[in-house]
Amino acid sequence: MSELVRVERLVVDFPVRTGLLRQRRVRAVDGIDLELGRGEILGLVGESGCGKSTLARAIVGLAPPSAGRVLLDGVPVPARRPPGMRRRIQMIYQDPGSSLDPRRTVSQTLAEPLRRDRTVPAGQVGLRTRELLEMVGLGERQAHALPRELSGGQRQRVAIARALAVEPEVLVADEAVAALDASVAGSVLNLLSDLRERLGLTVLFISHDLATVRGLCDRVAVMYLGSIVEEGPVAEVFARPGHPYTRVLLDAVPSRHRRRSGTVARGLAGEPPSPLRVPPGCRFHPRCPQAAERCGEAEPPEVRRDGQRVWCHFSWRDGQAFEL
């Protein structure tokens, strides 16, 4: 599988006010390296506030990097992206209700990017709009509706169709099904999987739902406090997680195996540290169930095994396997 998107040592800082006259910078994304292969779905998971959405926005071009770079097909992406490069990476947001213009019908919403980017000749805009609606499982009835007249799942399908209007190569789905009911979310996930197959799309799928990631994604990256702590093929990471943070996340997922055995899920102790006060050494060590003295003193090394990458002093220490 050829590489389409590469993130190299990406850093994103934001200014924050810490007092009446004091201002500091908080590091939301801290030196991340990540790759997306052409045609694959990569899941990005982690607790709220770990930097997943900021990383997504940096890849799309909505959050300027403070350091590092994003490459598309091996070409560095400039800070001011030309229209052709912007079209190649599109984003699907968590709440389509707030990202769709409430005064525009669905057909007007889809026609706007077609006309702006001249994706098709002016005389074919209507035809292309109907094709996009059909592609996401909607029809003529929804074409003339306003966003408030649609269900949550229909609005998300319109948002996907709008992203597809400019014929992107990469979709970044930021918690795209988190606000939907389980049955509706399932249909949207099936749509994303089908679009990947039909159009050869590459998808960065951001979610807190590990069971969903396991069913949809080819690879998964686990993020904690601005950094990637584990990355690899979904089957390997879920079967033999190498980082204690990944193991705790998986252990918290309800499963038939755990219900049958009567095992109680183990949670993480305490809250994640503030990005303004990142712990020394391994940033997970204050909450880690297997932390040792060296964890608070030295940055964890990168360890590779069977296609997985793990940043931990004690990778795969307990060898525990998980069944979801």
Side-chain angles (χ1 to χ4, degrees):
M1 182 182 298
S2 61
E3 177 187 289
L4 180 58
V5 178
R6 174 184 286 270
V7 174
E8 291 184 346
R9 306 304 299 163
L10 193 73
V11 174
V12 181
D13 294 334
F14 294 111
V16 293
R17 191 173 297 280
T18 57
L20 187 61
L21 299 176
R22 296 182 60 194
Q23 193 175 74
R24 295 179 59 186
R25 298 189 70 80
V26 59
R27 181 151 293 181
V29 174
D30 192 3
I32 281 182
D33 293 312
L34 200 61
E35 301 172 8
L36 281 84
R38 191 179 300 275
E40 79 166 343
I41 302 181
L42 172 67
L44 183 63
V45 303
E47 293 173 287
S48 297
C50 69
K52 303 188 301 294
S53 293
T54 302
L55 175 58
R57 291 172 65 84
I59 291 173
V60 174
L62 300 176
S66 306
R69 60 181 185 170
V70 177
L71 295 92
L72 184 58
D73 254 343
V75 178
V77 176
R80 294 180 62 86
R81 302 187 182 189
M85 191 166 277
R86 285 201 302 269
R87 286 197 297 267
R88 296 178 69 184
I89 306 179
Q90 293 293 305
M91 193 163 187
I92 305 168
Y93 298 92
Q94 176 177 349
D95 182 10
S98 62
S99 64
L100 298 175
D101 189 331
R103 298 165 297 180
R104 289 186 175 183
T105 65
V106 170
S107 60
Q108 290 171 333
T109 295
L110 299 183
E112 190 272 333
L114 294 174
R115 294 194 175 99
R116 181 195 62 216
D117 294 304
R118 300 178 183 178
T119 308
V120 296
Q124 297 182 19
V125 168
L127 174 62
R128 181 57 177 163
T129 297
R130 291 191 292 273
E131 289 176 348
L132 288 168
L133 286 172
E134 183 180 350
M135 195 179 296
V136 298
L138 299 177
E140 193 67 25
R141 181 177 179 181
Q142 288 82 23
H144 305 291
L146 293 170
R148 67 172 180 270
E149 298 170 326
L150 301 174
S151 67
Q154 289 173 331
R155 285 195 293 268
Q156 195 58 283
R157 288 172 182 265
V158 172
I160 294 172
R162 181 180 59 183
L164 295 175
V166 295
E167 300 178 0
E169 297 172 58
V170 182
L171 287 182
V172 177
D174 187 8
E175 298 282 6
V177 297
L180 304 178
D181 293 338
S183 60
V184 178
S187 67
V188 173
L189 292 171
N190 289 336
L191 172 62
L192 286 174
S193 180
D194 180 58
L195 290 172
R196 186 267 289 266
E197 295 296 330
R198 282 197 286 161
L199 304 178
L201 290 170
T202 299
V203 181
L204 176 62
F205 183 78
I206 299 169
S207 179
H208 63 275
D209 187 339
L210 275 74
T212 297
V213 168
R214 181 172 190 175
L216 178 70
C217 300
D218 305 300
R219 292 190 303 119
V220 61
V222 183
M223 197 167 177
Y224 182 79
L225 202 61
S227 291
I228 300 294
V229 297
E230 181 162 1
E231 179 267 323
V234 163
E236 281 74 10
V237 172
F238 277 64
R240 299 287 177 185
H243 197 282
Y245 179 60
T246 309
R247 288 197 288 273
V248 173
L249 290 180
L250 289 171
D251 193 51
V253 178
S255 71
R256 294 187 299 272
H257 172 73
R258 192 172 295 114
R259 285 195 296 269
R260 287 196 302 267
S261 64
T263 305
V264 178
R266 296 171 297 175
L268 276 172
E271 296 294 323
S274 167
L276 289 170
R277 293 181 294 276
V278 176
C282 173
R283 57 193 63 203
F284 182 58
H285 85 266
R287 307 171 72 197
C288 181
Q290 63 183 54
E293 185 177 353
R294 80 171 81 162
C295 301
E297 298 174 348
E299 290 281 342
E302 177 186 340
V303 182
R304 295 175 179 255
R305 192 180 86 172
D306 298 331
Q308 289 173 251
R309 298 191 300 161
V310 174
W311 287 261
C312 180
H313 292 287
F314 302 103
S315 305
W316 292 283
R317 189 168 77 171
D318 63 8
Q320 184 177 355
F322 286 82
E323 176 186 338
L324 297 186

